[in-house]
Amino acid sequence: MKLSILDQAPVSVNMSAGEALRNSVKLAVAGDELGFTRFWLAEHHGMSGLSSSAPEVTLGAIGMVTKNIRLGSGATLLPYYKPFKVAETFNTLAALYGDRIDIGIGRAPGGDNKASEALSDNYLQQVFKMPELLAELQGFIKNNDKSLRAMPVPDTPPQLWMLGTSGKSAISARDSNMNYCFGEFMSTSNPLEVLDTYRESSSPGKIIVTVNVFCHENGETARKLAWSYAVNQALKSTGRAFKGISSPEDAAAVELTEDERLEAETILSNLIFGTPEEAGAELTRLSEAYQVEEFMIVTITHNIEDKINSYRLLADQLLTER
Protein backbone atom coordinates (compact mmCIF):
# COMPACT_ATOMS: atom_id res chain seq x y z
CA MET A 1 0.00 0.00 0.00
CA LYS A 2 1.09 3.57 -0.71
CA LEU A 3 0.25 6.43 1.63
CA SER A 4 0.25 10.14 0.80
CA ILE A 5 -0.56 13.37 2.63
CA LEU A 6 -3.09 16.08 1.86
CA ASP A 7 -2.54 19.16 3.97
CA GLN A 8 -4.67 22.31 4.17
CA ALA A 9 -2.27 24.38 6.28
CA PRO A 10 -4.89 24.69 9.04
CA VAL A 11 -4.56 27.51 11.56
CA SER A 12 -5.13 26.48 15.16
CA VAL A 13 -6.55 28.74 17.87
CA ASN A 14 -3.95 31.38 18.85
CA MET A 15 -1.70 30.40 15.93
CA SER A 16 -0.41 32.73 13.23
CA ALA A 17 -0.79 31.95 9.53
CA GLY A 18 2.99 31.91 9.26
CA GLU A 19 3.26 29.24 11.92
CA ALA A 20 0.60 27.19 10.14
CA LEU A 21 2.54 27.34 6.88
CA ARG A 22 5.80 26.44 8.62
CA ASN A 23 3.96 23.46 10.13
CA SER A 24 3.08 22.36 6.60
CA VAL A 25 6.77 22.44 5.71
CA LYS A 26 7.56 20.48 8.87
CA LEU A 27 4.89 17.89 7.99
CA ALA A 28 6.22 17.50 4.47
CA VAL A 29 9.74 16.89 5.79
CA ALA A 30 8.37 14.25 8.16
CA GLY A 31 6.40 12.63 5.35
CA ASP A 32 9.52 12.52 3.20
CA GLU A 33 11.48 10.80 5.96
CA LEU A 34 8.63 8.36 6.72
CA GLY A 35 8.28 7.15 3.15
CA PHE A 36 5.02 8.77 2.09
CA THR A 37 4.53 8.93 -1.68
CA ARG A 38 3.11 12.46 -2.09
CA PHE A 39 2.54 15.68 -0.21
CA TRP A 40 -0.23 17.80 -1.66
CA LEU A 41 -1.40 21.20 -0.48
CA ALA A 42 -5.00 22.28 -0.90
CA GLU A 43 -6.06 25.65 -2.30
CA HIS A 44 -8.59 27.69 -0.31
CA HIS A 45 -9.51 31.36 -0.45
CA GLY A 46 -10.84 33.77 2.15
CA MET A 47 -11.00 31.15 4.91
CA SER A 48 -9.61 32.33 8.23
CA GLY A 49 -8.90 28.79 9.46
CA LEU A 50 -6.86 27.73 6.42
CA SER A 51 -3.69 29.47 5.22
CA SER A 52 -3.05 27.64 1.94
CA SER A 53 -4.29 30.13 -0.65
CA ALA A 54 -1.18 29.82 -2.82
CA PRO A 55 0.03 26.20 -2.53
CA GLU A 56 2.52 26.59 -5.36
CA VAL A 57 4.45 29.14 -3.28
CA THR A 58 4.69 26.88 -0.24
CA LEU A 59 5.61 23.92 -2.45
CA GLY A 60 8.60 25.89 -3.66
CA ALA A 61 9.85 26.16 -0.09
CA ILE A 62 9.08 22.50 0.64
CA GLY A 63 11.00 21.33 -2.40
CA MET A 64 14.18 22.81 -0.95
CA VAL A 65 14.03 20.70 2.23
CA THR A 66 12.74 17.37 0.87
CA LYS A 67 14.36 14.75 -1.36
CA ASN A 68 12.01 12.01 -2.52
CA ILE A 69 8.36 12.79 -1.76
CA ARG A 70 6.25 13.99 -4.69
CA LEU A 71 4.89 17.52 -4.30
CA GLY A 72 1.66 18.84 -5.72
CA SER A 73 -1.51 20.87 -5.49
CA GLY A 74 -4.68 19.35 -4.18
CA ALA A 75 -6.10 21.10 -6.07
CA THR A 76 -5.23 23.98 -8.36
CA LEU A 77 -8.65 25.49 -9.05
CA LEU A 78 -8.36 25.79 -12.80
CA PRO A 79 -11.42 28.00 -13.52
CA TYR A 80 -9.58 30.88 -11.85
CA TYR A 81 -6.46 30.65 -13.99
CA LYS A 82 -5.14 30.57 -17.52
CA PRO A 83 -3.80 27.08 -18.33
CA PHE A 84 -0.60 28.60 -19.72
CA LYS A 85 0.23 30.21 -16.38
CA VAL A 86 -0.51 27.01 -14.46
CA ALA A 87 1.80 25.11 -16.81
CA GLU A 88 4.57 27.69 -16.36
CA THR A 89 4.26 27.56 -12.57
CA PHE A 90 4.45 23.79 -12.26
CA ASN A 91 7.03 23.46 -15.02
CA THR A 92 9.20 25.76 -12.90
CA LEU A 93 8.76 23.48 -9.89
CA ALA A 94 9.58 20.45 -12.06
CA ALA A 95 12.66 22.18 -13.43
CA LEU A 96 13.81 22.81 -9.85
CA TYR A 97 12.89 19.50 -8.25
CA GLY A 98 12.81 16.95 -11.06
CA ASP A 99 10.45 14.04 -11.43
CA ARG A 100 8.35 14.59 -8.32
CA ILE A 101 5.84 17.30 -9.20
CA ASP A 102 2.07 16.74 -9.46
CA ILE A 103 -0.67 19.09 -10.62
CA GLY A 104 -3.98 18.23 -9.01
CA ILE A 105 -6.81 19.98 -10.83
CA GLY A 106 -10.18 20.93 -9.35
CA ARG A 107 -13.08 23.14 -10.29
CA ALA A 108 -14.58 23.96 -6.87
CA PRO A 109 -14.67 27.63 -5.80
CA GLY A 110 -12.50 27.00 -2.75
CA GLY A 111 -14.17 29.80 -0.83
CA ASP A 112 -17.31 31.89 -0.57
CA ASN A 113 -18.90 34.03 -3.28
CA LYS A 114 -16.97 37.15 -2.31
CA ALA A 115 -13.65 35.32 -2.68
CA SER A 116 -14.71 33.90 -6.04
CA GLU A 117 -15.71 37.34 -7.31
CA ALA A 118 -12.39 38.79 -6.14
CA LEU A 119 -10.49 36.09 -8.01
CA SER A 120 -12.51 36.00 -11.21
CA ASP A 121 -15.25 37.91 -12.99
CA ASN A 122 -16.40 34.83 -14.87
CA TYR A 123 -15.84 31.82 -12.60
CA LEU A 124 -19.04 29.99 -13.58
CA GLN A 125 -18.42 30.49 -17.29
CA GLN A 126 -14.94 29.02 -16.83
CA VAL A 127 -16.38 26.01 -14.99
CA PHE A 128 -18.49 25.27 -18.07
CA LYS A 129 -15.30 25.47 -20.15
CA MET A 130 -13.40 22.91 -18.06
CA PRO A 131 -12.97 20.36 -20.89
CA GLU A 132 -11.34 23.04 -23.05
CA LEU A 133 -9.22 24.33 -20.17
CA LEU A 134 -8.03 20.81 -19.36
CA ALA A 135 -7.14 20.08 -22.97
CA GLU A 136 -5.21 23.34 -23.19
CA LEU A 137 -3.32 22.62 -19.99
CA GLN A 138 -2.48 19.09 -21.14
CA GLY A 139 -1.15 20.49 -24.39
CA PHE A 140 1.18 22.89 -22.59
CA ILE A 141 2.40 20.22 -20.16
CA LYS A 142 3.09 17.83 -23.03
CA ASN A 143 4.78 20.66 -24.94
CA ASN A 144 2.61 19.98 -27.98
CA ASP A 145 2.65 23.53 -29.34
CA LYS A 146 6.25 24.25 -30.33
CA SER A 147 5.34 27.84 -31.19
CA LEU A 148 4.25 28.58 -27.61
CA ARG A 149 6.08 26.72 -24.89
CA ALA A 150 5.31 26.99 -21.19
CA MET A 151 8.82 27.80 -20.06
CA PRO A 152 10.90 26.46 -18.54
CA VAL A 153 10.43 23.06 -20.15
CA PRO A 154 11.58 20.51 -17.52
CA ASP A 155 13.31 17.23 -18.31
CA THR A 156 10.29 15.41 -16.82
CA PRO A 157 6.89 17.13 -17.02
CA PRO A 158 4.56 17.37 -14.00
CA GLN A 159 2.04 14.59 -13.55
CA LEU A 160 -1.60 15.64 -14.01
CA TRP A 161 -4.41 14.52 -11.72
CA MET A 162 -8.12 15.29 -11.63
CA LEU A 163 -9.53 15.72 -8.13
CA GLY A 164 -13.21 15.44 -7.29
CA THR A 165 -15.95 14.17 -5.05
CA SER A 166 -18.59 12.90 -7.46
CA GLY A 167 -19.31 11.05 -10.65
CA LYS A 168 -18.89 14.29 -12.61
CA SER A 169 -15.23 14.54 -11.75
CA ALA A 170 -14.75 10.84 -12.48
CA ILE A 171 -16.24 11.35 -15.95
CA SER A 172 -14.05 14.41 -16.51
CA ALA A 173 -10.92 12.49 -15.51
CA ARG A 174 -11.94 9.49 -17.60
CA ASP A 175 -12.74 11.51 -20.70
CA SER A 176 -9.57 13.61 -20.36
CA ASN A 177 -7.34 10.55 -19.86
CA MET A 178 -6.12 11.86 -16.51
CA ASN A 179 -5.24 10.15 -13.25
CA TYR A 180 -8.01 10.46 -10.67
CA CYS A 181 -8.07 11.31 -6.96
CA PHE A 182 -11.44 10.77 -5.27
CA GLY A 183 -12.03 12.89 -2.15
CA GLU A 184 -14.09 10.49 -0.09
CA PHE A 185 -13.41 12.57 3.03
CA MET A 186 -15.67 15.35 1.76
CA SER A 187 -18.05 13.41 -0.50
CA THR A 188 -21.59 12.13 -0.13
CA SER A 189 -21.30 9.98 -3.27
CA ASN A 190 -20.94 6.21 -3.25
CA PRO A 191 -17.19 5.57 -3.67
CA LEU A 192 -17.63 2.30 -5.54
CA GLU A 193 -19.99 3.90 -8.06
CA VAL A 194 -17.66 6.85 -8.62
CA LEU A 195 -14.60 4.64 -9.08
CA ASP A 196 -16.51 2.29 -11.39
CA THR A 197 -17.47 5.31 -13.50
CA TYR A 198 -13.82 6.29 -13.84
CA ARG A 199 -12.79 2.72 -14.65
CA GLU A 200 -15.16 2.66 -17.63
CA SER A 201 -12.20 4.05 -19.53
CA SER A 202 -10.43 1.56 -21.77
CA SER A 203 -7.15 2.58 -20.16
CA PRO A 204 -7.75 4.18 -16.75
CA GLY A 205 -4.86 5.91 -15.05
CA LYS A 206 -3.75 5.84 -11.44
CA ILE A 207 -6.32 6.18 -8.65
CA ILE A 208 -6.00 7.69 -5.18
CA VAL A 209 -8.73 7.81 -2.52
CA THR A 210 -8.52 10.54 0.13
CA VAL A 211 -9.74 9.83 3.67
CA ASN A 212 -9.60 11.37 7.16
CA VAL A 213 -7.49 9.38 9.62
CA PHE A 214 -6.67 10.01 13.27
CA CYS A 215 -4.18 7.56 14.75
CA HIS A 216 -2.67 7.33 18.23
CA GLU A 217 -1.02 4.66 20.37
CA ASN A 218 -4.02 4.98 22.69
CA GLY A 219 -7.36 4.29 21.02
CA GLU A 220 -9.31 6.62 23.29
CA THR A 221 -6.91 9.48 22.54
CA ALA A 222 -7.37 8.82 18.84
CA ARG A 223 -11.13 9.10 19.33
CA LYS A 224 -10.71 12.41 21.16
CA LEU A 225 -8.65 13.79 18.27
CA ALA A 226 -11.30 12.66 15.80
CA TRP A 227 -14.14 14.02 17.95
CA SER A 228 -12.40 17.40 18.16
CA TYR A 229 -12.31 17.55 14.36
CA ALA A 230 -15.96 16.47 14.14
CA VAL A 231 -17.06 19.15 16.59
CA ASN A 232 -15.09 21.84 14.75
CA GLN A 233 -16.76 20.84 11.47
CA ALA A 234 -20.23 20.71 13.00
CA LEU A 235 -19.87 24.16 14.55
CA LYS A 236 -18.89 25.64 11.18
CA SER A 237 -22.29 24.76 9.79
CA THR A 238 -24.08 26.60 12.61
CA GLY A 239 -21.88 29.69 12.69
CA ARG A 240 -20.40 28.94 16.11
CA ALA A 241 -17.00 27.88 14.86
CA PHE A 242 -13.81 28.41 16.82
CA LYS A 243 -11.36 30.95 15.43
CA GLY A 244 -9.09 28.20 14.24
CA ILE A 245 -8.69 24.51 15.04
CA SER A 246 -9.49 23.96 18.71
CA SER A 247 -7.83 21.57 21.13
CA PRO A 248 -9.57 18.32 22.08
CA GLU A 249 -10.12 19.74 25.54
CA ASP A 250 -11.83 22.89 24.27
CA ALA A 251 -13.92 20.92 21.79
CA ALA A 252 -15.05 18.53 24.51
CA ALA A 253 -16.07 21.46 26.73
CA VAL A 254 -18.46 22.97 24.16
CA GLU A 255 -22.14 22.60 25.00
CA LEU A 256 -23.54 21.36 21.70
CA THR A 257 -27.13 21.72 20.64
CA GLU A 258 -28.91 18.48 19.78
CA ASP A 259 -28.56 19.22 16.05
CA GLU A 260 -24.85 20.00 16.43
CA ARG A 261 -24.25 16.81 18.38
CA LEU A 262 -26.06 14.72 15.80
CA GLU A 263 -24.02 16.30 13.01
CA ALA A 264 -20.76 15.79 14.91
CA GLU A 265 -21.62 12.14 15.49
CA THR A 266 -22.44 11.70 11.81
CA ILE A 267 -19.09 13.23 10.87
CA LEU A 268 -17.31 11.02 13.41
CA SER A 269 -18.90 7.91 11.92
CA ASN A 270 -17.24 8.68 8.59
CA LEU A 271 -13.74 9.12 10.03
CA ILE A 272 -11.06 6.48 10.46
CA PHE A 273 -9.59 6.60 13.95
CA GLY A 274 -7.95 4.29 16.45
CA THR A 275 -4.68 2.56 17.21
CA PRO A 276 -2.23 1.84 14.38
CA GLU A 277 -3.60 -1.69 14.17
CA GLU A 278 -7.20 -0.51 14.01
CA ALA A 279 -6.61 2.30 11.50
CA GLY A 280 -4.35 0.09 9.42
CA ALA A 281 -6.93 -2.68 9.30
CA GLU A 282 -9.60 -0.27 8.09
CA LEU A 283 -7.37 1.13 5.35
CA THR A 284 -6.49 -2.40 4.27
CA ARG A 285 -10.19 -3.27 4.12
CA LEU A 286 -10.92 -0.19 2.01
CA SER A 287 -7.99 -0.96 -0.28
CA GLU A 288 -9.49 -4.36 -1.03
CA ALA A 289 -13.04 -3.02 -1.36
CA TYR A 290 -12.09 -0.15 -3.68
CA GLN A 291 -9.26 -2.00 -5.46
CA VAL A 292 -6.87 0.89 -4.94
CA GLU A 293 -3.25 0.86 -3.83
CA GLU A 294 -2.84 4.44 -2.65
CA PHE A 295 -4.61 6.46 0.01
CA MET A 296 -4.13 10.15 0.63
CA ILE A 297 -4.54 10.94 4.31
CA VAL A 298 -6.02 14.11 5.81
CA THR A 299 -5.34 14.61 9.51
CA ILE A 300 -6.30 17.93 11.11
CA THR A 301 -5.32 18.39 14.75
CA HIS A 302 -4.73 21.33 17.07
CA ASN A 303 -1.09 20.37 17.67
CA ILE A 304 1.38 19.59 14.90
CA GLU A 305 2.92 16.96 17.20
CA ASP A 306 -0.33 14.95 17.25
CA LYS A 307 -0.58 15.23 13.46
CA ILE A 308 2.97 14.06 12.76
CA ASN A 309 2.61 11.27 15.31
CA SER A 310 -0.54 10.04 13.56
CA TYR A 311 1.24 9.88 10.21
CA ARG A 312 4.27 8.22 11.79
CA LEU A 313 2.16 5.47 13.34
CA LEU A 314 0.42 4.80 10.02
CA ALA A 315 3.76 4.60 8.24
CA ASP A 316 5.12 2.17 10.82
CA GLN A 317 2.00 0.03 10.45
CA LEU A 318 1.53 0.02 6.68
CA LEU A 319 4.67 1.10 4.85
CA THR A 320 6.56 -2.15 5.18
CA GLU A 321 9.16 -1.24 2.55
CA ARG A 322 10.59 1.70 4.48
Side-chain angles (χ1 to χ4, degrees):
M1 184 185 298
K2 295 180 180 179
L3 296 179
S4 293
I5 298 170
L6 175 63
D7 190 44
Q8 298 168 314
V11 183
S12 294
V13 173
N14 296 325
M15 176 185 286
S16 69
E19 185 178 354
L21 288 168
R22 287 188 289 275
N23 280 342
S24 290
V25 177
K26 186 182 297 185
L27 177 60
V29 170
D32 192 31
E33 295 171 349
L34 291 169
F36 282 80
T37 299
R38 308 170 204 277
F39 181 89
W40 285 1
L41 269 172
E43 179 181 327
H44 293 283
H45 300 284
M47 295 186 179
S48 58
L50 301 174
S51 54
S52 184
S53 59
E56 64 277 8
V57 176
T58 309
L59 291 173
I62 290 172
M64 297 179 69
V65 291
T66 54
K67 296 180 180 179
N68 300 306
I69 197 166
R70 296 190 66 88
L71 306 175
S73 54
T76 293
L77 306 179
L78 191 56
Y80 290 134
Y81 310 113
K82 288 285 191 178
F84 185 67
K85 180 58 179 177
V86 173
E88 285 187 322
T89 297
F90 284 87
N91 271 2
T92 299
L93 289 170
L96 284 168
Y97 304 122
D99 183 20
R100 58 188 186 108
I101 301 300
D102 297 326
I103 312 177
I105 295 298
R107 65 176 189 178
D112 60 19
N113 290 337
K114 287 185 177 180
S116 292
E117 291 172 1
L119 284 162
S120 174
D121 293 328
N122 58 350
Y123 167 75
L124 288 178
Q125 292 91 325
Q126 293 299 100
V127 168
F128 294 134
K129 290 175 59 179
M130 275 294 284
E132 292 90 341
L133 295 175
L134 286 172
E136 190 176 345
L137 177 60
Q138 287 175 308
F140 288 129
I141 293 299
K142 294 176 181 178
N143 198 26
N144 289 340
D145 185 352
K146 303 304 180 182
S147 66
L148 179 61
R149 294 184 172 188
M151 303 294 287
V153 177
D155 292 336
T156 304
Q159 194 174 95
L160 276 165
W161 290 78
M162 171 62 68
L163 278 64
T165 59
S166 70
K168 289 183 179 180
S169 59
I171 292 170
S172 181
R174 181 195 69 197
D175 294 349
S176 301
N177 295 314
M178 291 176 64
N179 301 310
Y180 183 53
C181 181
F182 174 63
E184 182 181 355
F185 76 109
M186 55 186 300
S187 174
T188 58
S189 300
N190 183 307
L192 291 174
E193 292 179 359
V194 173
L195 296 178
D196 283 347
T197 297
Y198 174 70
R199 290 187 174 116
E200 289 173 358
S201 168
S202 58
S203 56
K206 299 176 184 178
I207 296 176
I208 300 174
V209 174
T210 306
V211 292
N212 286 114
V213 182
F214 298 85
C215 193
H216 195 274
E217 294 91 339
N218 180 283
E220 182 56 32
T221 300
R223 188 186 190 284
K224 289 179 180 177
L225 293 172
W227 178 248
S228 174
Y229 171 80
V231 168
N232 275 278
Q233 293 299 107
L235 291 178
K236 285 181 182 179
S237 65
T238 60
R240 295 210 298 145
F242 287 95
K243 292 183 178 180
I245 307 302
S246 68
S247 67
E249 295 76 17
D250 288 343
V254 175
E255 293 187 11
L256 300 174
T257 66
E258 185 61 23
D259 287 343
E260 288 169 342
R261 178 168 294 279
L262 287 173
E263 181 169 356
E265 290 174 349
T266 298
I267 293 170
L268 184 70
S269 69
N270 291 313
L271 306 177
I272 298 172
F273 60 89
T275 63
E277 295 77 12
E278 291 168 339
E282 178 61 11
L283 285 172
T284 300
R285 184 189 71 80
L286 290 179
S287 176
E288 294 171 354
Y290 298 163
Q291 292 298 294
V292 297
E293 297 181 354
E294 183 173 350
F295 286 95
M296 187 159 278
I297 308 300
V298 182
T299 303
I300 297 180
T301 61
H302 177 73
N303 290 324
I304 184 63
E305 292 80 11
D306 287 329
K307 180 185 292 189
I308 291 177
N309 184 56
S310 180
Y311 284 109
R312 177 182 63 79
L313 293 173
L314 284 177
D316 289 343
Q317 183 68 24
L318 294 173
L319 299 183
T320 56
E321 297 181 359
R322 287 176 56 197

